[in-house]
Amino acid sequence: KMDGTLQQAREHTIQGLSVISQFWGFSKGMGAIYGAIYLSPDPLSLDDLVKQVGITKGAVSTNLRQLARLGLVHKQTAIGDRRDFYQAETDFWKVVRGILQERRKSEFDRALHTVSESLAMVEGAGPLDPQDRSKARFYQQRLRRLADFFRRLDTLVGAVLALEDLRGSALRSILRKTNEG
């Protein structure tokens, strides 16, 4: 049995990761599952996670698939055991990269598409009276600025991801040279 203070620290961390998970647009359960796996010295099974996190088996399974797709957890098998076990990714650059890649694909595209559609609606509006023409110009200005912001943010995220690729390839090159020498 774990010391009370250690148990409290573990639960506090899992709770904090649940909040961070929501901030990034994921479920609280996803953060809690990652926290439980991250703070486990041994890989955890689906049943272990259901007990530790206190959410349904279906919810744990769904969240594990998403965590695996993002690269935050890795599935392992044990010889003689039909269950899957999960270990946390501990390279936080990889974690951030996985989250940014996932968010970039869906969220930026959706946001930019919505803003572009709204701008097209404003620009395609029929004959307007002077007051509405003024409002239409205001909307166009604001929507163009918003679209520009999303494009720049997408470019920035792309640059961060590219830097991570460079970091990884540079590290592999250094390790290769070290092993050759």
Side-chain angles (χ1 to χ4, degrees):
K1 182 162 169 38
M2 193 183 310
D3 173 81
T5 305
L6 293 179
Q7 182 67 23
Q8 193 175 8
R10 182 182 173 285
E11 289 172 10
H12 190 68
T13 300
I14 289 171
Q15 208 169 33
L17 289 174
S18 293
V19 171
I20 290 169
S21 182
Q22 274 192 305
F23 169 79
W24 283 95
F26 300 109
S27 72
K28 286 174 68 173
M30 197 168 152
I33 291 165
Y34 179 78
I37 296 170
Y38 182 76
L39 288 180
S40 177
D42 301 309
L44 296 176
S45 71
L46 184 72
D47 292 329
D48 295 331
L49 289 163
V50 168
K51 287 179 206 156
Q52 290 187 24
V53 180
I55 59 178
T56 68
K57 196 171 198 171
V60 170
S61 179
T62 300
N63 283 306
L64 278 170
R65 277 194 302 278
Q66 191 166 12
L67 285 165
R69 192 180 76 243
L70 291 169
L72 275 77
V73 299
H74 305 287
K75 190 187 324 187
Q76 297 181 332
T77 54
I79 297 171
D81 197 330
R82 291 175 21 183
R83 298 176 297 168
D84 292 324
F85 293 87
Y86 298 87
Q87 268 193 310
E89 175 60 64
T90 58
D91 180 338
F92 291 111
W93 283 110
K94 282 185 182 178
V95 169
V96 168
R97 187 173 200 277
I99 291 170
L100 287 177
Q101 280 182 315
E102 178 70 17
R103 286 291 162 220
R104 181 179 185 202
K105 282 187 282 199
S106 60
E107 304 304 325
F108 287 133
D109 289 348
R110 188 176 319 135
L112 196 51
H113 184 72
T114 300
V115 171
S116 296
E117 283 179 337
S118 299
L119 185 57
M121 284 180 214
V122 171
E123 290 172 342
L128 301 170
D129 64 38
Q131 187 176 356
D132 283 342
R133 263 197 309 274
S134 175
K135 187 176 280 189
R137 279 193 301 275
F138 175 78
Y139 283 2
Q140 286 173 336
Q141 178 189 21
R142 290 287 171 101
L143 290 169
R144 284 182 184 133
R145 285 183 68 201
L146 191 55
D148 185 53
F149 170 75
F150 285 133
R151 275 192 289 276
R152 288 173 191 254
L153 190 56
D154 189 40
T155 300
L156 176 64
V157 169
V160 168
L161 293 173
L163 284 174
E164 177 56 23
D165 286 341
L166 285 173
R167 182 181 81 100
S169 62
L171 186 59
R172 283 189 295 278
S173 175
I174 291 168
L175 289 174
R176 217 179 9 258
K177 288 177 184 173
T178 304
N179 289 336
E180 293 169 0

